[in-house]
């Protein structure tokens, strides 16, 4: 007779007490590893996740083999418009901060040592802006080795080696060289340091003697008194600073008209196009005796300064911080300007000189009539008067110089 077992049915996965499997013809159900030992764990015990498919930590069993089919949710598409906007704002902010910082750094380096308010009996200002640009033989800050290398000598004090008036206005820039041997009358003036008033005596001297006697203020006073032209700004650079600027900008290309050899300036240059470094450039602009006259030298100075300004204003210099900052540092450290001179005034001056070299303006010497009784160069009074009137009214210059 068949035995009938009474009691609760075995749970799934357990064999009956008679040893017969509950499934016929199939694979027995594997034990649960909820507790890691083959036994059901009590409530609240550690669950390794193998039974639920969450072994990879993805909710709902979205790991490999889980209900998600082994795939991940796709990333959202990048918001390129937002990224471009953020990048543009960041770059603009960096540019503004850098520009402002550069401006204040550069402005702090200007040596505003010349006080034009000390100049007395000044002519009325006209249209446009007039700069008096002076190259001095100052050796300030130069070592003995640098003086020897640049052939500057070791004379005490400083004198003017070149003088130019740059006029900027609506009719293009005009660059006028004032030969240092020009015959001028020293006017009444107030001492730049003492404040003492010196009356005019009709004393006639070379123009560079005015600078040697009482510095930039008397030079400006003498130029204004002998021309009738109001000087708005004063800019001066010494030997060492000039050479440093040329080297910082990487040299300046010049077309030398003929072979030049001058033992006094140290010039030893061959005819033709070449790039001059600081030492060669200083020798070139100082060469006088090998050229025959001071008027030839002033023409070379004009050509070189215009070429230098053109080189400084090129994108290869302005857009390259490794060239721009050394150039600005070398230039600003060595420039002496008037107290009212700003960076924008200085930039306008360089831009105008660049225009002269580009054919947008005119360069000339002060018109000369011949030699005065004392041997100095005598200006052509009639031509100078016409020239000054044209500059005052910011008209196109029609007068030609020597």
């Amino acid at each position: 007779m068949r035995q009938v077992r009474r009691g609760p049915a075995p749970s799934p996965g357990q064999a009956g007490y008679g040893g017969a499997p509950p499934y016929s013809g199939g694979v027995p159900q594997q034990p649960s590893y909820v507790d890691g030992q083959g036994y059901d764990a009590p409530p609240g015990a550690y669950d390794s996740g193998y039974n639920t498919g969450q072994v990879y930590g993805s909710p709902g069993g979205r790991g490999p083999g889980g209900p998600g089919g082994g795939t991940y949710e796709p990333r959202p598409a990048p918001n390129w418009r937002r990224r471009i906007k953020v990048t543009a704002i960041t770059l603009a902010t960096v540019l503004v901060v850098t520009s402002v910082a550069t401006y204040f750094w550069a402005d702090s380096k200007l040596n505003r040592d010349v006080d034009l308010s000390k100049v007395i009996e000044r002519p009325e200002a006209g249209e446009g802006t007039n700069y008096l640009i002076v190259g001095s033989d100052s050796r300030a800050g130069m070592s003995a080795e640098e003086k020897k290398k640049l052939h500057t000598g070791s004379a005490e004090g400083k004198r003017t080696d070149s003088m130019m008036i740059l006029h900027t206005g609506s009719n293009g820039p005009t660059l006028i060289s004032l030969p240092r041997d020009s015959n001028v009358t020293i006017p009444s003036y107030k001492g730049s340091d003492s404040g003492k008033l010196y009356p005019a005596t009709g004393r006639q001297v070379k123009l560079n003697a005015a600078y040697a006697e009482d510095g930039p203020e008397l030079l400006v006073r003498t130029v204004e008194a002998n021309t009738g032209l109001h000087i708005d700004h004063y800019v001066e650079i010494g030997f060492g600073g000039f050479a440093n600027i040329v080297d910082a900008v990487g040299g300046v290309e010049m077309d030398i008209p003929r072979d030049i050899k001058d033992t006094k300036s140290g010039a030893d240059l061959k005819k033709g196009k070449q790039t001059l470094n600081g030492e060669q450039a200083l020798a070139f602009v100082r060469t006088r005796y090998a050229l025959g006259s001071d008027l030839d030298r002033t023409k070379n100075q004009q050509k070189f300064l215009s070429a230098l300004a053109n080189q400084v204003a090129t994108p290869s210099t302005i857009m390259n911080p490794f060239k721009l900052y050394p150039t600005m540092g070398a230039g600003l450290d060595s420039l002496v300007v008037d107290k009212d001179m700003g960076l924008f005034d200085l930039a306008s001056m360089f831009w105008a000189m660049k225009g002269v070299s580009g054919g947008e303006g005119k360069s000339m010497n002060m018109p000369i009539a011949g030699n005065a009784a004392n041997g100095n160069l005598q200006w052509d009074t009639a031509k100078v008067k016409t020239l000054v009137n044209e500059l005052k009214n910011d008209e196109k210059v029609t007068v030609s110089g020597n």
Side-chain angles (χ1 to χ4, degrees):
M1 184 173 177
R2 173 183 262 182
Q3 297 279 334
V4 178
R5 183 185 179 97
R6 298 182 182 275
S11 61
Q14 292 181 326
Y17 285 105
Y23 304 100
S24 58
V27 178
Q29 184 174 1
Q30 299 300 310
S32 170
Y33 287 91
V34 171
D35 62 351
Q37 299 181 7
Y39 304 99
D40 290 335
Y46 169 74
D47 184 357
S48 65
Y50 276 95
N51 268 359
T52 63
Q54 297 188 35
V55 66
Y56 292 101
S58 55
R62 290 189 180 275
T71 60
Y72 297 93
E73 291 184 1
R75 292 181 178 180
N79 188 339
W80 289 109
R81 180 176 296 179
R82 182 176 180 277
R83 289 187 180 184
I84 292 173
K85 182 179 179 181
V86 171
T87 301
I89 293 175
T90 302
L91 290 176
T93 302
V94 171
L95 181 61
V96 170
V97 171
T98 303
S99 299
V100 171
T102 299
Y103 176 86
F104 284 105
W105 167 77
D107 189 71
S108 68
K109 295 179 77 65
L110 276 178
N111 301 307
R112 297 182 174 92
D113 297 335
V114 179
D115 188 357
L116 295 183
S117 68
K118 295 179 180 179
V119 180
I120 63 174
E121 300 177 24
R122 308 192 67 188
E124 292 185 6
E127 301 294 326
T129 303
N130 299 311
Y131 300 85
L132 181 59
I133 303 171
V134 175
S136 78
D137 64 359
S138 171
R139 299 156 179 85
M142 295 176 63
S143 65
E145 183 180 349
E146 288 173 327
K147 293 176 184 177
K148 182 179 179 181
K149 177 183 177 183
L150 298 176
H151 300 271
T152 65
S154 300
E156 295 297 327
K158 59 180 182 178
R159 287 151 293 277
T160 53
D161 202 60
S162 62
M163 291 160 283
M164 302 179 190
I165 293 176
L166 174 67
H167 174 84
T168 63
S170 57
N171 280 288
T174 302
L175 185 61
I176 308 161
S177 285
L178 308 175
R180 68 179 192 174
D181 292 344
S182 298
N183 190 59
V184 295
T185 301
I186 297 294
S188 60
Y189 69 96
K190 183 183 293 186
S192 57
D193 292 329
S194 65
K196 179 181 177 182
L197 183 63
Y198 294 88
T201 62
R203 181 165 47 105
Q204 294 187 338
V205 297
K206 293 180 179 180
L207 180 58
N208 64 343
Y211 181 96
E213 187 170 328
D214 198 47
E217 288 85 1
L218 179 54
L219 178 61
V220 171
R221 168 71 176 131
T222 303
V223 170
E224 290 187 340
N226 284 265
T227 63
L229 187 67
H230 181 91
I231 300 299
D232 298 289
H233 292 295
Y234 178 91
V235 181
E236 178 187 325
I237 186 169
F239 281 162
F242 179 84
N244 289 339
I245 293 175
V246 175
D247 285 334
V249 83
V252 176
E253 185 179 75
M254 286 293 295
D255 189 358
I256 308 299
R258 60 188 173 108
D259 292 352
I260 299 176
K261 190 172 183 63
D262 189 337
T263 56
K264 291 184 178 293
S265 69
D268 188 5
L269 305 171
K270 300 299 181 183
K271 178 182 178 180
K273 283 188 177 182
Q274 53 199 284
T275 298
L276 305 184
N277 60 25
E279 178 183 351
Q280 294 169 322
L282 182 59
F284 175 69
V285 298
R286 292 183 61 218
T287 295
R288 178 183 184 187
Y289 297 99
L291 299 175
S293 75
D294 197 41
L295 295 179
D296 291 327
R297 185 178 75 142
T298 56
K299 291 177 182 177
N300 284 342
Q301 291 171 344
Q302 289 178 349
K303 291 177 183 177
F304 186 85
L305 289 179
S306 296
L308 174 60
N310 185 66
Q311 179 68 24
V312 171
T314 56
S316 63
T317 299
I318 296 175
M319 303 303 293
N320 183 355
F322 297 102
K323 184 179 288 187
L324 175 63
Y325 285 98
T327 301
M328 291 179 64
L332 297 172
D333 275 339
S334 55
L335 288 179
V336 176
V337 299
D338 64 90
K339 294 186 179 297
D340 294 327
M341 186 78 155
L343 286 178
F344 291 110
D345 298 311
L346 195 61
S348 176
M349 184 194 79
F350 270 95
W351 196 258
M353 293 184 68
K354 178 179 182 293
V356 172
S357 66
E360 300 171 8
K362 181 175 183 176
S363 61
M364 57 182 288
N365 276 317
M366 185 65 84
I368 302 296
N371 284 53
N374 56 11
N376 300 335
L377 295 176
Q378 186 66 53
W379 293 349
D380 187 319
T381 306
K383 287 187 176 181
V384 170
K385 183 177 180 180
T386 301
L387 173 63
V388 170
N389 285 335
E390 290 175 342
L391 295 178
K392 278 187 172 181
N393 297 319
D394 197 22
E395 299 171 349
K396 186 175 180 180
V397 172
T398 61
V399 178
S400 59
N402 299 72

